[in-house]
């Protein structure tokens, strides 16, 4: 039975995000005073159930990666709440947060810069075990071998350095490093965007197999809707720091409600030259997150803009069962 406290639902949800904001200061002048803020994440709310994959999509610069890093408290929030296993992570002292990090891990986007070139694979994957005191000596080597084999690498790879591997193999090392601590929740920050298409499917299938074997919960960040549909249970669409639509993947693809989601879906290629999809071409450029439009942030590019879209912020509300949207048209 789920429990409701202050409009936050606890129960099957591993992660609850409530009105999260993250601003970055813009400093200028000799005294480096704050003159403005980049509003990277603006008042977003969602939940992630245990064992599910929530995908987040949107254009570059919309705040996807910032959201993922703030959820892990790699970045401090500006406002809002993040509850992990009913614990408000931003109220935890550093000692408690350090313990919690064994349960919350991240797979970075770039498999080349995210690995230390001076460390072997065994040192990279085993570093967190030693740092958190979860294993010593031979136990570290055994755990490292176990997890890299789960990720599709061979035992002899343990003694090699990152420059000896391909991009796909490096990303497997990054995944092994994230899973070495046996976490419950993993943020996958565009883990396949830097890889060839043929390798992308291998990494996606690996992530799905590991999720089934280890009972993992994912936040999967990507700009590729086809990739997100393949791996996700639900999909959230972000635009300029705000969540504009959230629904189950089939519901989102079959019945997109927000004009921005409709435009994104219209750009997906159809693998049949005889079929054509009507493209929705958005006019204008994405506004600056340092000076976002008033009202609905999408109104400067929306083909259905109405007068009150320019002044009133649309409420993120449930339009159908489990289908949330922030749009005055709904």
């Amino acid at each position: 039975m789920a429990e409701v406290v202050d409009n936050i639902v606890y129960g099957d949800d591993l992660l609850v995000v409530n009105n999260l904001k993250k601003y970055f200061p813009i400093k200028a002048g000799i005294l480096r005073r704050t003159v403005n803020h980049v509003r990277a994440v603006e008042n977003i709310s969602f939940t992630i159930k245990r064992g599910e994959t929530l995908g987040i999509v949107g254009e570059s610069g919309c705040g996807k990666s910032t959201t993922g890093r703030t959820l892990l408290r790699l970045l401090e929030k500006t406002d809002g709440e993040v509850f992990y296993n009913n614990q408000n992570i931003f109220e935890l002292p550093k000692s408690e947060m350090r313990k919690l990090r064994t349960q919350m891990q991240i797979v970075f986007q770039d498999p080349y810069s995210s690995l230390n070139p001076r460390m072997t694979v065994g040192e990279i994957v085993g570093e967190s075990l030693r740092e958190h005191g979860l294993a010593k000596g031979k136990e570290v080597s055994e755990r490292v071998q176990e997890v890299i084999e789960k990720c599709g690498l061979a035992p002899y790879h343990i003694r090699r350095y990152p420059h000896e591997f391909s991009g796909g193999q490096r990303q497997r090392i990054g995944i092994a490093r994230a899973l070495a601590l046996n976490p419950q929740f993993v943020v996958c920050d565009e883990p396949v965007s830097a890889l060839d298409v043929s390798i992308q499917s291998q990494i996606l299938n690996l992530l799905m197999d590991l999720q089934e074997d280890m009972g993992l919960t994912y936040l999967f960040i990507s700009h590729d809707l086809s990739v997100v549909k393949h791996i996700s249970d639900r999909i959230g669409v972000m635009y300029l720091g705000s969540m504009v639509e959230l629904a189950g993947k089939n519901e989102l693809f079959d019945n997109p409600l927000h004009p921005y989601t409709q435009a994104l879906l219209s750009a997906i290629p159809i693998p049949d030259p005889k079929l054509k999809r009507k493209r929705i071409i958005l006019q204008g450029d994405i506004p600056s997150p340092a000076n976002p439009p008033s009202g609905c942030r999408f109104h400067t590019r929306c083909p259905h803009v109405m007068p009150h879209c320019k002044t009133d912020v649309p409420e993120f509300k449930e339009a159908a069962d489990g289908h949330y949207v922030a749009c005055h048209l709904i």
Side-chain angles (χ1 to χ4, degrees):
M1 178 74 68
E3 179 185 2
V4 180
V5 180
D6 296 332
N7 296 322
I8 301 168
V9 181
Y10 301 104
D12 293 336
D13 296 324
L14 179 67
L15 195 81
V16 177
V17 180
N18 190 34
N19 299 324
L20 183 65
K21 295 181 181 180
K22 177 58 185 175
Y23 296 170
F24 294 98
I26 299 174
K27 298 182 182 293
I30 297 175
L31 300 178
R32 306 299 295 167
R33 289 175 175 167
T34 300
V35 296
N36 201 352
H37 288 87
V38 174
R39 294 163 172 80
V41 177
E42 182 70 71
N43 207 38
I44 66 172
S45 300
F46 59 87
T47 63
I48 306 179
K49 292 181 172 58
R50 300 175 193 276
E52 84 162 339
T53 299
L54 175 66
I56 292 185
V57 297
E59 295 170 281
S60 295
C62 73
K64 307 185 298 296
S65 296
T66 302
T67 298
R69 294 180 185 220
T70 307
L71 297 185
L72 298 178
R73 204 175 166 183
L74 298 178
L75 299 172
E76 290 295 323
K77 60 151 188 177
T78 299
D79 197 9
E81 298 170 310
V82 177
F83 291 85
Y84 176 84
N85 262 339
N86 300 351
Q87 292 179 290
N88 189 336
I89 68 169
F90 289 104
E91 292 182 353
L92 295 177
K94 288 185 178 180
S95 59
E96 291 299 316
M97 191 63 213
R98 178 180 170 83
K99 295 178 183 177
L100 194 62
R101 293 206 181 281
T102 62
Q103 302 178 36
M104 308 168 72
Q105 291 291 303
I106 183 170
V107 177
F108 294 99
Q109 175 180 355
D110 188 356
Y112 293 89
S113 62
S114 63
L115 302 178
N116 190 333
R118 295 179 177 85
M119 297 174 68
T120 64
V121 171
E123 291 169 337
I124 291 171
V125 177
E127 182 180 21
S128 58
L129 293 169
R130 291 186 290 268
E131 185 69 22
H132 288 276
L134 299 180
K136 295 181 180 179
K138 189 177 179 181
E139 293 177 348
V140 175
S141 301
E142 291 174 351
R143 176 58 181 163
V144 168
Q145 182 170 333
E146 177 188 352
V147 74
I148 69 162
E149 287 181 352
K150 272 187 177 181
C151 293
L153 297 170
Y156 62 83
H157 287 145
I158 292 174
R159 297 180 296 276
R160 294 188 175 181
Y161 289 86
H163 72 270
E164 301 179 69
F165 296 92
S166 65
Q169 288 175 316
R170 290 186 191 205
Q171 198 59 287
R172 289 175 186 269
I173 297 168
I175 294 170
R177 175 178 58 186
L179 300 185
L181 295 173
N182 197 26
Q184 294 182 343
F185 176 62
V186 180
V187 172
C188 301
D189 186 8
E190 301 204 42
V192 298
S193 63
L195 307 177
D196 294 339
V197 174
S198 59
I199 306 301
Q200 286 184 7
S201 60
Q202 296 177 20
I203 298 300
L204 289 175
N205 291 333
L206 171 64
L207 288 169
M208 295 170 71
D209 291 342
L210 290 169
Q211 182 178 35
E212 185 176 348
D213 293 342
M214 302 177 67
L216 298 170
T217 302
Y218 289 147
L219 176 70
F220 191 92
I221 297 167
S222 179
H223 60 269
D224 190 328
L225 274 162
S226 299
V227 168
V228 170
K229 184 181 181 183
H230 179 71
I231 195 172
S232 301
D233 299 301
R234 291 184 300 141
I235 298 175
V237 181
M238 287 187 68
Y239 178 80
L240 205 62
S242 298
M243 186 80 75
V244 298
E245 191 162 1
L246 175 65
K249 63 178 180 181
N250 293 329
E251 170 68 13
L252 188 81
F253 274 72
D254 294 341
N255 185 32
L257 299 178
H258 198 280
Y260 178 62
T261 309
Q262 294 168 0
L264 288 181
L265 293 176
S266 74
I268 300 176
I270 300 176
D272 187 341
K274 297 180 181 178
L275 298 177
K276 291 185 178 180
R277 177 182 278 131
K278 183 179 179 181
R279 284 293 310 275
I280 300 174
I281 307 297
L282 298 177
Q283 303 299 317
D285 297 324
I286 304 176
S288 168
N291 187 26
S294 60
C296 174
R297 292 190 167 197
F298 186 62
H299 84 256
T300 58
R301 305 174 72 196
C302 181
H304 309 292
V305 64
M306 299 176 290
H308 62 284
C309 295
K310 301 177 182 179
T311 56
D312 300 335
V313 178
E315 180 187 357
F316 190 66
K317 58 187 178 182
E318 191 171 20
D321 186 23
H323 193 154
Y324 296 83
V325 65
C327 183
H328 291 303
L329 291 171
I330 310 304

